[in-house]
Structures are given as structure tokens and as C-alpha cells.
Amino acid sequence: MDCNVVDRLKGRGIIPSAHRVAIGDYVLRTIEHPSADQVWERVKTSFPVLSRATVYNTLNLFVRKGLLQELILAEGKVVFDPNVADHHHLVEEDSGIIYDIPWDAVQVSGLDTLTDLEIDSYQVVARGRKRRH
Amino acid sequence: MDCNVVDRLKGRGIIPSAHRVAIGDYVLRTIEHPSADQVWERVKTSFPVLSRATVYNTLNLFVRKGLLQELILAEGKVVFDPNVADHHHLVEEDSGIIYDIPWDAVQVSGLDTLTDLEIDSYQVVARGRKRRH
DNA sequence: CCATAGTTTTAGAGTAAGTCTAAAGATATA
DNA sequence: TATATCTTTAGACTTACTCTAAAACTATGG
Ligand SMILES: [Mn+2]
Ligand SMILES: [Mn+2]
Ligand SMILES: [Zn+2]
Ligand SMILES: [Zn+2]
């Protein structure tokens, strides 16, 4: 487990430019499931010289190199998740917040009996909300 | 079980105009999970005087009235599903085809132990492909 | 130091899904 | 017929995202 962003980029063959490290410092540590524009807004506060295209380029690069996964859970926006291990999600429609559900919290059975389907991956997508207090 | 589109629209308080019936004749019977533009292309072949806006208006009306559900399973497009009962889906990334997985084919357990989550609905979303022959 | 090649970043144009607007067309009723 | 209500329409608009081609870095070798 390597928490140093520079080394994680190098480990995947990505040159750790200042821009990429600034983006990685946020998006590789967050639990927020941000969209590309949310990453842009957020990273600009600490790293103001940053174009929209660089954010998209970098996020797509991180996805290609296996540092991020893309999730499509709501209309009109892709969000990014630094947790690339299998897990499930709860989508809170009102707020737009996406919560992680640990893989081991849920058991899914029966998929293996669908012999006509070749399944690469799966997850449970729940809609609802997090109870307050 | 009522397969007459005109009566199904009336049953939901929708005036069954010729346009709406033409759209419903396709989208309320298909198993294809089409996008709005796919509905437009398809319905125009048998009903040429049809604007894009009418297709979007009608699909959104059908969703509001409970005749269709919207699914967001792949990047950049919403698809529509006349099967509004609970069921799961397999997304075939290469072809873009979405297959239904019957609700009873899969058992999901453990969601009820997540007492901090209030879950309205859920489904398993699998990625993979349908085996050929 | 310079020259040069490769890489990264950029603004802004382009694309595509979807919504909105305001007018025109239908239909129903009195 | 007159009037009200509902439906359909073209096209403008918005938004998320990609593409392009030039500028700005960085590394290397002389
Ligand atoms: Mn993408
Ligand atoms: Mn919609
Ligand atoms: Zn997640
Ligand atoms: Zn379905």
C-alpha cells in the first residue's frame, strides 16, 4: 500500500508532472466520487493554473493506467472512484452523493447459474439515502 | 395484463394521440433498451412525421406515468425499459446491447444489515457478454 | 551554453444528448 | 363558429466531453 502519489504515478509509468500530482493528490484520495468538473473546481483552489482539458486528459490517463475507475450511476455525468477494488454503491438521488458499500457487506448468488452469460464484473447499485444520525 | 397500447395510455390518464401510440407501439413492447434517439430512428420508419422533441416529450411522459423506466448503465446515454418490474441487467460493452436478468435468477442478501442506509430500490449491474450458441 | 526531440498543457472549436421556447396545429366543447 | 385546451414542432440553447494544433516544458547531448 503506497500512499505517495508521485510514486504511485511512477509505478504505473506516468510522468509525475506538477499538474498530474495536484490532480492525483485530490482524486486518488477522495471518497467523494467526483465528476471531472468537480475535480477541476476542487484542484483549481490549490493549483490555479489548470485547464479543463488537462483535467479530462489526466483523469482518462489515470483510468487507462488502472488508478481510477469510471462509474456511470446517474444521468449526464461520469464520476471517478480511486477505489478500484470491487465494491457496491448507494446513489442518493436528492443530493447526488454516492456512498460506497463494502464488497463483503453484500452477498450475491445465482449469477453463476446463468451459463449463457460471461460476466467480467458486477456490482449492486442501490438507490436511496443515508440515514441521518 | 393489457397489451393494447391505446388502453394502456388511457389507463394512465394519457391522451392517446397518433404520435404517442406510434411511439408506444415500439417502446412499450421492445426488449432492446433503446435510447431516445434509437426510438426516434425506429419509429420514424413507420411514422415519418415525427420530431425529436416529441420523442423526448413522450418518453419522459411515459416515465412520469410509470409506463417506462429510465436506466443509466453506460456512458452518455439514457435508455428506456418497458419492464418496470424489478430486474437485473447485463451490459455488453462491445455491442452496447443490454440484456435483462430475471429478478429471481439472482439472490442478493446483506443489504438489510446496512441499517444506516434507506434503500428504495436496487439491482445488480453486470458487465460482460452473452455467450454465442 | 545551445539545439533539438519528446512530452505535457492549453484555449478554444467541435460534438452529441437532452431541454426549452414560442408558435403552429389539433381536438373538444359551447 | 368561437374559444379553450392540449399536442407537436423547429430550432435555439445548455452541458458534458473530445479534439486540434500550437505553446510551454523537460531531458539529453554537444
Ligand atoms: Mn471517459
Ligand atoms: Mn430524463
Ligand atoms: Zn466507490
Ligand atoms: Zn431491462
Side-chain angles (χ1 to χ4, degrees), chain B residues 2-96:
Chain B
D2 190 348
C3 278
N4 180 300
V5 168
V6 171
D7 291 340
R8 294 193 61 202
L9 301 194
K10 284 182 185 164
R12 302 281 173 148
I14 299 169
I15 294 175
S17 70
H19 295 72
R20 287 170 177 168
V21 172
I23 293 167
D25 268 334
Y26 168 59
V27 81
L28 296 179
R29 300 174 194 281
T30 185
I31 60 161
E32 293 179 301
H33 302 89
S35 69
D37 277 8
Q38 284 169 335
V39 172
W40 190 35
E41 286 307 325
R42 173 66 179 265
V43 176
K44 266 195 303 188
T45 63
S46 57
F47 195 92
V49 186
L50 179 66
S51 97
R52 223 160 149 276
T54 298
V55 173
Y56 277 92
N57 289 344
T58 301
L59 292 172
N60 288 338
L61 177 67
F62 287 1
V63 169
R64 248 172 10 250
K65 297 295 187 176
L67 292 170
L68 284 179
Q69 72 175 129
E70 266 187 12
L71 298 173
I72 299 132
L73 299 173
E75 189 169 344
K77 67 176 170 181
V78 174
V79 300
F80 296 89
D81 191 341
N83 182 356
V84 294
D86 280 332
H87 61 289
H88 309 287
H89 289 97
L90 174 82
V91 181
E92 195 172 69
E93 310 270 13
D94 297 340
S95 63

Side-chain angles (χ1 to χ4, degrees), chain A residues 102-119:
Chain A
W103 188 253
D104 294 335
V106 179
Q107 296 78 47
V108 177
S109 62
L111 285 174
D112 49 328
T113 69
L114 300 165
T115 51
D116 57 331
L117 306 183
E118 216 175 316
I119 294 175

Side-chain angles (χ1 to χ4, degrees), chain A residues 43-56:
Chain A
V43 177
K44 265 196 304 188
T45 64
S46 58
F47 195 93
V49 186
L50 180 66
S51 96
R52 226 156 149 278
T54 298
V55 174
Y56 277 92

